[in-house]
PDB file of all heavy atoms in Angstrom:
ATOM      1  N   PHE U   1      -5.998   9.615  -9.012  1.00 96.00           N
ATOM      2  CA  PHE U   1      -6.991   8.842  -9.741  1.00 96.00           C
ATOM      3  C   PHE U   1      -7.858   7.962  -8.825  1.00 96.00           C
ATOM      4  O   PHE U   1      -9.087   7.710  -9.013  1.00 96.00           O
ATOM      5  CB  PHE U   1      -6.396   7.923 -10.794  1.00 96.00           C
ATOM      6  CG  PHE U   1      -6.135   8.541 -12.088  1.00 96.00           C
ATOM      7  CD1 PHE U   1      -6.269   9.910 -12.264  1.00 96.00           C
ATOM      8  CD2 PHE U   1      -5.809   7.827 -13.234  1.00 96.00           C
ATOM      9  CE1 PHE U   1      -6.048  10.544 -13.511  1.00 96.00           C
ATOM     10  CE2 PHE U   1      -5.616   8.390 -14.396  1.00 96.00           C
ATOM     11  CZ  PHE U   1      -5.768   9.761 -14.632  1.00 96.00           C
ATOM     12  N   ALA U   2      -7.301   7.521  -7.690  1.00 98.00           N
ATOM     13  CA  ALA U   2      -7.945   6.589  -6.831  1.00 98.00           C
ATOM     14  C   ALA U   2      -9.047   7.267  -6.013  1.00 98.00           C
ATOM     15  O   ALA U   2      -9.043   8.474  -5.769  1.00 98.00           O
ATOM     16  CB  ALA U   2      -6.965   5.923  -5.864  1.00 98.00           C
ATOM     17  N   ASP U   3     -10.031   6.528  -5.509  1.00 98.00           N
ATOM     18  CA  ASP U   3     -11.182   7.045  -4.736  1.00 98.00           C
ATOM     19  C   ASP U   3     -10.614   7.319  -3.262  1.00 98.00           C
ATOM     20  O   ASP U   3     -11.100   8.325  -2.652  1.00 98.00           O
ATOM     21  CB  ASP U   3     -12.215   5.945  -4.575  1.00 98.00           C
ATOM     22  CG  ASP U   3     -12.857   5.713  -5.940  1.00 98.00           C
ATOM     23  OD1 ASP U   3     -13.184   6.651  -6.690  1.00 98.00           O
ATOM     24  OD2 ASP U   3     -13.091   4.479  -6.303  1.00 98.00           O
ATOM     25  N   GLU U   4      -9.588   6.562  -2.808  1.00 98.00           N
ATOM     26  CA  GLU U   4      -8.955   6.867  -1.586  1.00 98.00           C
ATOM     27  C   GLU U   4      -7.477   6.649  -1.679  1.00 98.00           C
ATOM     28  O   GLU U   4      -6.971   5.884  -2.551  1.00 98.00           O
ATOM     29  CB  GLU U   4      -9.426   5.904  -0.508  1.00 98.00           C
ATOM     30  CG  GLU U   4     -10.920   5.841  -0.252  1.00 98.00           C
ATOM     31  CD  GLU U   4     -11.351   4.777   0.711  1.00 98.00           C
ATOM     32  OE1 GLU U   4     -10.721   4.540   1.749  1.00 98.00           O
ATOM     33  OE2 GLU U   4     -12.289   4.008   0.335  1.00 98.00           O
ATOM     34  N   ALA U   5      -6.618   7.299  -0.892  1.00 98.00           N
ATOM     35  CA  ALA U   5      -5.225   7.111  -0.958  1.00 98.00           C
ATOM     36  C   ALA U   5      -4.544   7.258   0.428  1.00 98.00           C
ATOM     37  O   ALA U   5      -5.049   8.064   1.259  1.00 98.00           O
ATOM     38  CB  ALA U   5      -4.680   8.294  -1.924  1.00 98.00           C
ATOM     39  N   TYR U   6      -3.651   6.418   0.613  1.00 98.00           N
ATOM     40  CA  TYR U   6      -2.970   6.354   2.008  1.00 98.00           C
ATOM     41  C   TYR U   6      -1.444   6.431   1.915  1.00 98.00           C
ATOM     42  O   TYR U   6      -0.926   5.609   1.090  1.00 98.00           O
ATOM     43  CB  TYR U   6      -3.396   5.091   2.759  1.00 98.00           C
ATOM     44  CG  TYR U   6      -4.863   5.008   3.065  1.00 98.00           C
ATOM     45  CD1 TYR U   6      -5.750   4.589   2.108  1.00 98.00           C
ATOM     46  CD2 TYR U   6      -5.316   5.469   4.257  1.00 98.00           C
ATOM     47  CE1 TYR U   6      -7.132   4.500   2.372  1.00 98.00           C
ATOM     48  CE2 TYR U   6      -6.694   5.399   4.538  1.00 98.00           C
ATOM     49  CZ  TYR U   6      -7.559   4.934   3.615  1.00 98.00           C
ATOM     50  OH  TYR U   6      -9.001   4.915   3.879  1.00 98.00           O
ATOM     51  N   CYS U   7      -0.884   7.314   2.592  1.00 98.00           N
ATOM     52  CA  CYS U   7       0.633   7.304   2.608  1.00 98.00           C
ATOM     53  C   CYS U   7       1.143   6.224   3.563  1.00 98.00           C
ATOM     54  O   CYS U   7       0.705   6.119   4.612  1.00 98.00           O
ATOM     55  CB  CYS U   7       1.156   8.727   3.185  1.00 98.00           C
ATOM     56  SG  CYS U   7       2.914   8.819   3.106  1.00 98.00           S
ATOM     57  N   ILE U   8       2.088   5.406   3.003  1.00 98.00           N
ATOM     58  CA  ILE U   8       2.521   4.254   3.826  1.00 98.00           C
ATOM     59  C   ILE U   8       3.990   4.324   4.180  1.00 98.00           C
ATOM     60  O   ILE U   8       4.536   3.270   4.567  1.00 98.00           O
ATOM     61  CB  ILE U   8       2.204   2.968   2.971  1.00 98.00           C
ATOM     62  CG1 ILE U   8       2.795   2.968   1.633  1.00 98.00           C
ATOM     63  CG2 ILE U   8       0.777   2.683   2.950  1.00 98.00           C
ATOM     64  CD1 ILE U   8       2.687   1.600   0.870  1.00 98.00           C
ATOM     65  N   GLY U   9       4.639   5.518   3.934  1.00 98.00           N
ATOM     66  CA  GLY U   9       6.030   5.591   4.400  1.00 98.00           C
ATOM     67  C   GLY U   9       6.905   6.482   3.584  1.00 98.00           C
ATOM     68  O   GLY U   9       6.453   7.089   2.605  1.00 98.00           O
ATOM     69  N   PRO U  10       8.183   6.481   3.883  1.00 97.00           N
ATOM     70  CA  PRO U  10       9.092   7.421   3.235  1.00 97.00           C
ATOM     71  C   PRO U  10       9.357   6.941   1.821  1.00 97.00           C
ATOM     72  O   PRO U  10       8.859   5.927   1.427  1.00 97.00           O
ATOM     73  CB  PRO U  10      10.354   7.339   4.130  1.00 97.00           C
ATOM     74  CG  PRO U  10       9.973   6.753   5.386  1.00 97.00           C
ATOM     75  CD  PRO U  10       8.763   5.882   5.114  1.00 97.00           C
ATOM     76  N   ALA U  11      10.132   7.665   1.103  1.00 96.00           N
ATOM     77  CA  ALA U  11      10.549   7.413  -0.356  1.00 96.00           C
ATOM     78  C   ALA U  11      11.150   6.011  -0.586  1.00 96.00           C
ATOM     79  O   ALA U  11      10.673   5.440  -1.504  1.00 96.00           O
ATOM     80  CB  ALA U  11      11.480   8.553  -0.859  1.00 96.00           C
ATOM     81  N   PRO U  12      12.083   5.539   0.188  1.00 95.00           N
ATOM     82  CA  PRO U  12      12.645   4.249  -0.223  1.00 95.00           C
ATOM     83  C   PRO U  12      11.592   3.160  -0.278  1.00 95.00           C
ATOM     84  O   PRO U  12      10.736   2.970   0.635  1.00 95.00           O
ATOM     85  CB  PRO U  12      13.656   3.943   0.917  1.00 95.00           C
ATOM     86  CG  PRO U  12      14.037   5.340   1.392  1.00 95.00           C
ATOM     87  CD  PRO U  12      12.790   6.154   1.303  1.00 95.00           C
ATOM     88  N   ALA U  13      11.612   2.322  -1.300  1.00 95.00           N
ATOM     89  CA  ALA U  13      10.565   1.295  -1.463  1.00 95.00           C
ATOM     90  C   ALA U  13      10.493   0.344  -0.308  1.00 95.00           C
ATOM     91  O   ALA U  13       9.426  -0.128   0.096  1.00 95.00           O
ATOM     92  CB  ALA U  13      10.874   0.577  -2.799  1.00 95.00           C
ATOM     93  N   ARG U  14      11.620  -0.009   0.197  1.00 94.00           N
ATOM     94  CA  ARG U  14      11.644  -0.955   1.369  1.00 94.00           C
ATOM     95  C   ARG U  14      10.843  -0.444   2.597  1.00 94.00           C
ATOM     96  O   ARG U  14      10.481  -1.191   3.412  1.00 94.00           O
ATOM     97  CB  ARG U  14      13.063  -1.349   1.765  1.00 94.00           C
ATOM     98  CG  ARG U  14      13.866  -0.213   2.314  1.00 94.00           C
ATOM     99  CD  ARG U  14      15.262  -0.655   2.755  1.00 94.00           C
ATOM    100  NE  ARG U  14      16.092   0.481   3.228  1.00 94.00           N
ATOM    101  CZ  ARG U  14      16.747   1.376   2.545  1.00 94.00           C
ATOM    102  NH1 ARG U  14      16.649   1.326   1.229  1.00 94.00           N
ATOM    103  NH2 ARG U  14      17.364   2.295   3.138  1.00 94.00           N
ATOM    104  N   GLU U  15      10.751   0.895   2.736  1.00 96.00           N
ATOM    105  CA  GLU U  15      10.021   1.561   3.815  1.00 96.00           C
ATOM    106  C   GLU U  15       8.659   1.934   3.426  1.00 96.00           C
ATOM    107  O   GLU U  15       7.901   2.361   4.346  1.00 96.00           O
ATOM    108  CB  GLU U  15      10.874   2.762   4.323  1.00 96.00           C
ATOM    109  CG  GLU U  15      12.260   2.461   4.802  1.00 96.00           C
ATOM    110  CD  GLU U  15      12.979   3.727   5.198  1.00 96.00           C
ATOM    111  OE1 GLU U  15      12.416   4.598   5.764  1.00 96.00           O
ATOM    112  OE2 GLU U  15      14.210   3.783   4.862  1.00 96.00           O
ATOM    113  N   SER U  16       8.205   1.695   2.301  1.00 97.00           N
ATOM    114  CA  SER U  16       6.834   1.989   1.817  1.00 97.00           C
ATOM    115  C   SER U  16       6.214   0.942   0.982  1.00 97.00           C
ATOM    116  O   SER U  16       5.494   0.065   1.545  1.00 97.00           O
ATOM    117  CB  SER U  16       6.898   3.348   1.049  1.00 97.00           C
ATOM    118  OG  SER U  16       7.887   3.332  -0.051  1.00 97.00           O
ATOM    119  N   TYR U  17       6.509   0.827  -0.268  1.00 97.00           N
ATOM    120  CA  TYR U  17       5.758  -0.095  -1.174  1.00 97.00           C
ATOM    121  C   TYR U  17       6.201  -1.598  -0.905  1.00 97.00           C
ATOM    122  O   TYR U  17       5.413  -2.462  -1.198  1.00 97.00           O
ATOM    123  CB  TYR U  17       6.219   0.273  -2.582  1.00 97.00           C
ATOM    124  CG  TYR U  17       5.632   1.586  -3.085  1.00 97.00           C
ATOM    125  CD1 TYR U  17       6.525   2.608  -3.301  1.00 97.00           C
ATOM    126  CD2 TYR U  17       4.325   1.702  -3.261  1.00 97.00           C
ATOM    127  CE1 TYR U  17       6.057   3.825  -3.643  1.00 97.00           C
ATOM    128  CE2 TYR U  17       3.845   3.035  -3.649  1.00 97.00           C
ATOM    129  CZ  TYR U  17       4.713   4.044  -3.899  1.00 97.00           C
ATOM    130  OH  TYR U  17       4.301   5.301  -4.200  1.00 97.00           O
ATOM    131  N   LEU U  18       7.302  -1.805  -0.233  1.00 96.00           N
ATOM    132  CA  LEU U  18       7.642  -3.175   0.158  1.00 96.00           C
ATOM    133  C   LEU U  18       7.381  -3.408   1.603  1.00 96.00           C
ATOM    134  O   LEU U  18       7.650  -4.472   2.165  1.00 96.00           O
ATOM    135  CB  LEU U  18       9.179  -3.404  -0.095  1.00 96.00           C
ATOM    136  CG  LEU U  18       9.535  -3.386  -1.565  1.00 96.00           C
ATOM    137  CD1 LEU U  18      11.065  -3.540  -1.740  1.00 96.00           C
ATOM    138  CD2 LEU U  18       8.869  -4.676  -2.268  1.00 96.00           C
ATOM    139  N   ASN U  19       6.776  -2.472   2.269  1.00 97.00           N
ATOM    140  CA  ASN U  19       6.377  -2.648   3.779  1.00 97.00           C
ATOM    141  C   ASN U  19       5.088  -3.387   3.796  1.00 97.00           C
ATOM    142  O   ASN U  19       3.984  -2.779   3.730  1.00 97.00           O
ATOM    143  CB  ASN U  19       6.324  -1.274   4.459  1.00 97.00           C
ATOM    144  CG  ASN U  19       6.088  -1.346   5.880  1.00 97.00           C
ATOM    145  OD1 ASN U  19       5.522  -2.340   6.409  1.00 97.00           O
ATOM    146  ND2 ASN U  19       6.460  -0.293   6.648  1.00 97.00           N
ATOM    147  N   MET U  20       5.075  -4.685   4.019  1.00 98.00           N
ATOM    148  CA  MET U  20       3.865  -5.474   4.012  1.00 98.00           C
ATOM    149  C   MET U  20       2.921  -5.035   5.092  1.00 98.00           C
ATOM    150  O   MET U  20       1.682  -4.993   4.813  1.00 98.00           O
ATOM    151  CB  MET U  20       4.137  -6.969   4.167  1.00 98.00           C
ATOM    152  CG  MET U  20       5.063  -7.478   3.085  1.00 98.00           C
ATOM    153  SD  MET U  20       5.335  -9.307   3.336  1.00 98.00           S
ATOM    154  CE  MET U  20       6.859  -9.525   2.505  1.00 98.00           C
ATOM    155  N   ARG U  21       3.408  -4.791   6.278  1.00 98.00           N
ATOM    156  CA  ARG U  21       2.469  -4.348   7.322  1.00 98.00           C
ATOM    157  C   ARG U  21       1.768  -3.036   6.974  1.00 98.00           C
ATOM    158  O   ARG U  21       0.576  -2.951   7.234  1.00 98.00           O
ATOM    159  CB  ARG U  21       3.348  -4.193   8.626  1.00 98.00           C
ATOM    160  CG  ARG U  21       2.488  -3.766   9.884  1.00 98.00           C
ATOM    161  CD  ARG U  21       3.377  -3.460  11.027  1.00 98.00           C
ATOM    162  NE  ARG U  21       4.162  -4.604  11.409  1.00 98.00           N
ATOM    163  CZ  ARG U  21       3.742  -5.517  12.299  1.00 98.00           C
ATOM    164  NH1 ARG U  21       2.485  -5.440  12.878  1.00 98.00           N
ATOM    165  NH2 ARG U  21       4.523  -6.496  12.704  1.00 98.00           N
ATOM    166  N   ALA U  22       2.493  -2.096   6.342  1.00 98.00           N
ATOM    167  CA  ALA U  22       1.868  -0.853   6.021  1.00 98.00           C
ATOM    168  C   ALA U  22       0.836  -1.093   4.955  1.00 98.00           C
ATOM    169  O   ALA U  22      -0.296  -0.425   5.025  1.00 98.00           O
ATOM    170  CB  ALA U  22       2.849   0.157   5.533  1.00 98.00           C
ATOM    171  N   VAL U  23       1.077  -1.897   3.933  1.00 98.00           N
ATOM    172  CA  VAL U  23       0.086  -2.075   2.841  1.00 98.00           C
ATOM    173  C   VAL U  23      -1.093  -2.789   3.426  1.00 98.00           C
ATOM    174  O   VAL U  23      -2.205  -2.433   3.124  1.00 98.00           O
ATOM    175  CB  VAL U  23       0.812  -2.947   1.725  1.00 98.00           C
ATOM    176  CG1 VAL U  23      -0.268  -3.417   0.715  1.00 98.00           C
ATOM    177  CG2 VAL U  23       1.920  -2.216   1.082  1.00 98.00           C
ATOM    178  N   LEU U  24      -0.959  -3.816   4.279  1.00 98.00           N
ATOM    179  CA  LEU U  24      -2.033  -4.488   4.744  1.00 98.00           C
ATOM    180  C   LEU U  24      -2.863  -3.615   5.747  1.00 98.00           C
ATOM    181  O   LEU U  24      -4.105  -3.788   5.780  1.00 98.00           O
ATOM    182  CB  LEU U  24      -1.569  -5.808   5.477  1.00 98.00           C
ATOM    183  CG  LEU U  24      -1.067  -6.943   4.543  1.00 98.00           C
ATOM    184  CD1 LEU U  24      -0.357  -8.014   5.292  1.00 98.00           C
ATOM    185  CD2 LEU U  24      -2.178  -7.465   3.753  1.00 98.00           C
ATOM    186  N   SER U  25      -2.157  -2.724   6.461  1.00 98.00           N
ATOM    187  CA  SER U  25      -2.922  -1.864   7.331  1.00 98.00           C
ATOM    188  C   SER U  25      -3.797  -0.881   6.502  1.00 98.00           C
ATOM    189  O   SER U  25      -4.939  -0.655   6.915  1.00 98.00           O
ATOM    190  CB  SER U  25      -1.969  -1.022   8.147  1.00 98.00           C
ATOM    191  OG  SER U  25      -1.219  -1.905   8.980  1.00 98.00           O
ATOM    192  N   ALA U  26      -3.282  -0.475   5.301  1.00 98.00           N
ATOM    193  CA  ALA U  26      -4.045   0.416   4.563  1.00 98.00           C
ATOM    194  C   ALA U  26      -5.276  -0.262   3.996  1.00 98.00           C
ATOM    195  O   ALA U  26      -6.364   0.268   3.863  1.00 98.00           O
ATOM    196  CB  ALA U  26      -3.161   0.980   3.384  1.00 98.00           C
ATOM    197  N   ALA U  27      -5.145  -1.536   3.673  1.00 98.00           N
ATOM    198  CA  ALA U  27      -6.249  -2.316   3.238  1.00 98.00           C
ATOM    199  C   ALA U  27      -7.276  -2.507   4.271  1.00 98.00           C
ATOM    200  O   ALA U  27      -8.494  -2.429   4.047  1.00 98.00           O
ATOM    201  CB  ALA U  27      -5.749  -3.696   2.716  1.00 98.00           C
ATOM    202  N   ALA U  28      -6.811  -2.788   5.475  1.00 97.00           N
ATOM    203  CA  ALA U  28      -7.765  -2.968   6.597  1.00 97.00           C
ATOM    204  C   ALA U  28      -8.550  -1.680   6.946  1.00 97.00           C
ATOM    205  O   ALA U  28      -9.735  -1.694   7.095  1.00 97.00           O
ATOM    206  CB  ALA U  28      -7.033  -3.461   7.860  1.00 97.00           C
ATOM    207  N   VAL U  29      -7.786  -0.611   6.941  1.00 98.00           N
ATOM    208  CA  VAL U  29      -8.436   0.722   7.321  1.00 98.00           C
ATOM    209  C   VAL U  29      -9.355   1.061   6.222  1.00 98.00           C
ATOM    210  O   VAL U  29     -10.565   1.661   6.602  1.00 98.00           O
ATOM    211  CB  VAL U  29      -7.332   1.798   7.502  1.00 98.00           C
ATOM    212  CG1 VAL U  29      -7.980   3.233   7.507  1.00 98.00           C
ATOM    213  CG2 VAL U  29      -6.489   1.529   8.680  1.00 98.00           C
ATOM    214  N   SER U  30      -9.154   0.830   4.938  1.00 98.00           N
ATOM    215  CA  SER U  30      -9.959   1.290   3.845  1.00 98.00           C
ATOM    216  C   SER U  30     -11.060   0.322   3.666  1.00 98.00           C
ATOM    217  O   SER U  30     -12.020   0.677   2.954  1.00 98.00           O
ATOM    218  CB  SER U  30      -9.118   1.369   2.571  1.00 98.00           C
ATOM    219  OG  SER U  30      -8.597   0.138   2.180  1.00 98.00           O
ATOM    220  N   GLY U  31     -10.991  -0.897   4.141  1.00 97.00           N
ATOM    221  CA  GLY U  31     -12.058  -1.950   3.919  1.00 97.00           C
ATOM    222  C   GLY U  31     -11.896  -2.561   2.553  1.00 97.00           C
ATOM    223  O   GLY U  31     -12.874  -3.148   2.074  1.00 97.00           O
ATOM    224  N   ALA U  32     -10.649  -2.438   1.942  1.00 98.00           N
ATOM    225  CA  ALA U  32     -10.481  -3.123   0.600  1.00 98.00           C
ATOM    226  C   ALA U  32     -10.611  -4.657   0.775  1.00 98.00           C
ATOM    227  O   ALA U  32     -10.069  -5.173   1.779  1.00 98.00           O
ATOM    228  CB  ALA U  32      -9.114  -2.741   0.098  1.00 98.00           C
ATOM    229  N   GLN U  33     -11.264  -5.320  -0.069  1.00 98.00           N
ATOM    230  CA  GLN U  33     -11.502  -6.716  -0.053  1.00 98.00           C
ATOM    231  C   GLN U  33     -10.349  -7.507  -0.853  1.00 98.00           C
ATOM    232  O   GLN U  33     -10.155  -8.704  -0.544  1.00 98.00           O
ATOM    233  CB  GLN U  33     -12.808  -7.045  -0.711  1.00 98.00           C
ATOM    234  CG  GLN U  33     -14.030  -6.478  -0.019  1.00 98.00           C
ATOM    235  CD  GLN U  33     -15.171  -6.470  -1.032  1.00 98.00           C
ATOM    236  OE1 GLN U  33     -15.160  -5.710  -1.969  1.00 98.00           O
ATOM    237  NE2 GLN U  33     -16.197  -7.202  -0.663  1.00 98.00           N
ATOM    238  N   ALA U  34      -9.658  -6.746  -1.638  1.00 98.00           N
ATOM    239  CA  ALA U  34      -8.571  -7.378  -2.433  1.00 98.00           C
ATOM    240  C   ALA U  34      -7.473  -6.510  -2.696  1.00 98.00           C
ATOM    241  O   ALA U  34      -7.603  -5.260  -2.648  1.00 98.00           O
ATOM    242  CB  ALA U  34      -9.195  -7.884  -3.799  1.00 98.00           C
ATOM    243  N   ILE U  35      -6.255  -7.053  -2.983  1.00 98.00           N
ATOM    244  CA  ILE U  35      -5.079  -6.256  -3.330  1.00 98.00           C
ATOM    245  C   ILE U  35      -4.557  -6.750  -4.659  1.00 98.00           C
ATOM    246  O   ILE U  35      -4.261  -7.954  -4.901  1.00 98.00           O
ATOM    247  CB  ILE U  35      -4.069  -6.453  -2.214  1.00 98.00           C
ATOM    248  CG1 ILE U  35      -4.388  -5.817  -0.906  1.00 98.00           C
ATOM    249  CG2 ILE U  35      -2.673  -5.849  -2.742  1.00 98.00           C
ATOM    250  CD1 ILE U  35      -3.438  -6.061   0.249  1.00 98.00           C
ATOM    251  N   HIS U  36      -4.384  -5.803  -5.569  1.00 98.00           N
ATOM    252  CA  HIS U  36      -3.732  -6.071  -6.804  1.00 98.00           C
ATOM    253  C   HIS U  36      -2.299  -5.542  -6.706  1.00 98.00           C
ATOM    254  O   HIS U  36      -2.047  -4.364  -6.496  1.00 98.00           O
ATOM    255  CB  HIS U  36      -4.408  -5.321  -7.991  1.00 98.00           C
ATOM    256  CG  HIS U  36      -3.992  -5.861  -9.335  1.00 98.00           C
ATOM    257  ND1 HIS U  36      -2.672  -5.792  -9.722  1.00 98.00           N
ATOM    258  CD2 HIS U  36      -4.665  -6.374 -10.357  1.00 98.00           C
ATOM    259  CE1 HIS U  36      -2.659  -6.431 -10.980  1.00 98.00           C
ATOM    260  NE2 HIS U  36      -3.868  -6.712 -11.342  1.00 98.00           N
ATOM    261  N   PRO U  37      -1.289  -6.431  -6.906  1.00 98.00           N
ATOM    262  CA  PRO U  37       0.134  -6.013  -6.655  1.00 98.00           C
ATOM    263  C   PRO U  37       0.771  -5.497  -7.896  1.00 98.00           C
ATOM    264  O   PRO U  37       2.012  -5.070  -7.737  1.00 98.00           O
ATOM    265  CB  PRO U  37       0.759  -7.355  -6.237  1.00 98.00           C
ATOM    266  CG  PRO U  37       0.034  -8.380  -7.091  1.00 98.00           C
ATOM    267  CD  PRO U  37      -1.382  -7.892  -7.129  1.00 98.00           C
ATOM    268  N   GLY U  38       0.180  -5.483  -9.029  1.00 97.00           N
ATOM    269  CA  GLY U  38       0.842  -4.948 -10.277  1.00 97.00           C
ATOM    270  C   GLY U  38       1.922  -5.923 -10.638  1.00 97.00           C
ATOM    271  O   GLY U  38       1.827  -7.049 -10.665  1.00 97.00           O
ATOM    272  N   TYR U  39       3.118  -5.321 -11.021  1.00 96.00           N
ATOM    273  CA  TYR U  39       4.288  -6.112 -11.256  1.00 96.00           C
ATOM    274  C   TYR U  39       5.470  -5.561 -10.409  1.00 96.00           C
ATOM    275  O   TYR U  39       5.416  -4.354 -10.022  1.00 96.00           O
ATOM    276  CB  TYR U  39       4.666  -6.146 -12.785  1.00 96.00           C
ATOM    277  CG  TYR U  39       4.776  -4.780 -13.530  1.00 96.00           C
ATOM    278  CD1 TYR U  39       5.816  -3.932 -13.076  1.00 96.00           C
ATOM    279  CD2 TYR U  39       3.810  -4.477 -14.391  1.00 96.00           C
ATOM    280  CE1 TYR U  39       5.918  -2.659 -13.716  1.00 96.00           C
ATOM    281  CE2 TYR U  39       3.965  -3.235 -15.065  1.00 96.00           C
ATOM    282  CZ  TYR U  39       4.988  -2.312 -14.720  1.00 96.00           C
ATOM    283  OH  TYR U  39       5.143  -1.067 -15.365  1.00 96.00           O
ATOM    284  N   GLY U  40       6.472  -6.302 -10.212  1.00 93.00           N
ATOM    285  CA  GLY U  40       7.562  -5.869  -9.354  1.00 93.00           C
ATOM    286  C   GLY U  40       7.049  -5.777  -7.939  1.00 93.00           C
ATOM    287  O   GLY U  40       6.072  -6.349  -7.541  1.00 93.00           O
TER     288      GLY U  40
END
């Protein structure tokens, strides 16, 4: 659904969705101005 998508790590959440460095790097590379964290 998204206009752009970036893989940020392996399956375990701690190595991907909870990896702050990876999330922020994806934001920087994509030029996103804001991050919506959803819930959890």
Side-chain angles (χ1 to χ4, degrees):
F1 272 14
D3 297 315
E4 303 172 48
Y6 296 84
C7 182
I8 55 171
R14 66 180 179 277
E15 299 177 37
S16 51
Y17 296 108
L18 292 174
N19 185 333
M20 299 183 204
R21 183 186 296 273
V23 173
L24 290 168
S25 295
V29 169
S30 66
Q33 301 158 292
I35 292 177
H36 195 302
Y39 53 68

